[in-house]
Amino acid sequence: MLWLIWCVLFGSLRLGSTYSAVLQNETEFDLAEGHRQGRLFPFYTIGRIANVPCLASNGLKGTCLIRGECADNQGIFGGSCSTLTTQATCCIFSRTCGGSTNLNSTYFTNPGYPGSYNGGGTCTFTITPCSSSVCQLRIDFRSLNLAQPNGEGNCLTDVLTITGGSSEVPSICGENTGQHVYINFSELNPITIRVSTTAGSLVDRMWNLQLSQISCASEFRAPEGCLQYYLEPSGVISSFNYGFGANPNLNSLGATGTRQIAGQRYGICIRAAPDRCTITYSLPSTDGSYAFTVSGDAEVLDPTLIGMGVFGENGDICTTDYVVIPSPVVTDVNAAGAVFTDRFCGLGLFSVTSQVKPFVVYVVWDDNEIPDVANRGFRLAYSQNACTLGA
């Protein structure tokens, strides 16, 4: 999917004399928009290889470069990317602690990746926009496994923080492989990622974060207020650290701790597909009964009852941990006669439909998770619905 701006600041390249035969006119364009926008690597006379996006043999994204240029920039050879010359390779940029980059589609990994990391301290990485036409950074958690929060939902053993952007990102810990976040750059100032870990803890921690810079003009840029932005007409969304197993840590009262990370407030947005006017959220059929356990004591109910809509709560009673679904419509026969506001909490959820665009679910977790026992957050399937006649 060509929705990123593929660019690199020419000044960051360390080009040796072997590659001095550079064409004088550099080509600039934004692949997402189809017009001149972001800077690419210059063309080389060896087969005149255009430095375009490519898919490496290991499934990672890279840039098609002459092998020597890739090596000069500490890139990793990812297989052939051109039929014009054997000197072209799909170059992957992978960095670890203490590094920095202004290269697009860079991967930030733990030391020793793909092995686990058992050390302690803080691992820092900074990202600078590769062009003034870049507005956002998307971070895909291809792998992110850190220690669970304590029983009150606080990230005390391990924590990932992201700072320097003009939009806020909550602290994250636990299991978050497959999640992603968007951060707005603050002009040309760098964004910093910090992973702080505690040595000696029995955690097979691991991270591989894909860093993609997005053009200001791109249609795939996330709307304001959206920490996450899903592009498909149907799929699954979940809270950070949602999982199938309980948190092994007890809270201060000796009860099973929560997987919800305390103090989180953010928006999950979904791009409206053409000719789709509403969206429906429901519990996935494959997730068991804990797919919506956001407030209350999940151990007081029979596990076969958890998740049922009648055990959910709505409206003004939802004051601590809840999700907001704008202008909800609930058609389940078991909810007949009930009047629903946009706040949902408790230990279950009816299927909910909303027509407010942009499609969005707001997550609100307060700072006190002690009353919430064995909660796991939420995982919701969503599906956009075709417009009806006259809509």
Side-chain angles (χ1 to χ4, degrees), residues 122-252:
T122 299
C123 177
T124 302
F125 192 80
T126 59
I127 308 98
T128 302
C130 63
S131 162
S132 60
S133 62
V134 168
C135 276
Q136 287 183 334
L137 176 70
R138 173 172 168 140
I139 305 178
D140 283 280
F141 302 159
R142 294 179 63 92
S143 177
L144 181 59
N145 184 42
L146 302 176
Q148 286 291 316
N150 69 357
E152 280 85 42
N154 298 305
C155 297
L156 299 183
T157 304
D158 295 345
V159 62
L160 179 146
T161 58
I162 302 170
T163 59
S166 62
S167 53
E168 292 187 7
V169 181
S171 297
I172 297 172
C173 58
E175 300 173 2
N176 291 283
T177 297
Q179 295 275 20
H180 71 272
V181 295
Y182 284 79
I183 309 98
N184 292 329
F185 279 106
S186 178
E187 298 181 339
L188 293 178
N189 296 309
I191 288 172
T192 300
I193 304 173
R194 291 183 177 86
V195 182
S196 299
T197 58
T198 302
S201 57
L202 300 177
V203 179
D204 288 329
R205 61 175 63 88
M206 181 184 300
W207 65 88
N208 179 15
L209 311 183
Q210 181 180 344
L211 313 173
S212 304
Q213 301 188 24
I214 300 176
S215 165
C216 301
S218 173
E219 63 177 303
F220 303 103
R221 177 183 174 185
E224 288 298 319
C226 301
L227 181 66
Q228 297 186 302
Y229 189 39
Y230 289 83
L231 305 175
E232 301 302 322
S234 62
V236 176
I237 59 175
S238 62
S239 54
F240 291 117
N241 196 39
Y242 172 85
F244 296 104
N247 187 341
N249 299 314
L250 303 180
N251 65 19
S252 58

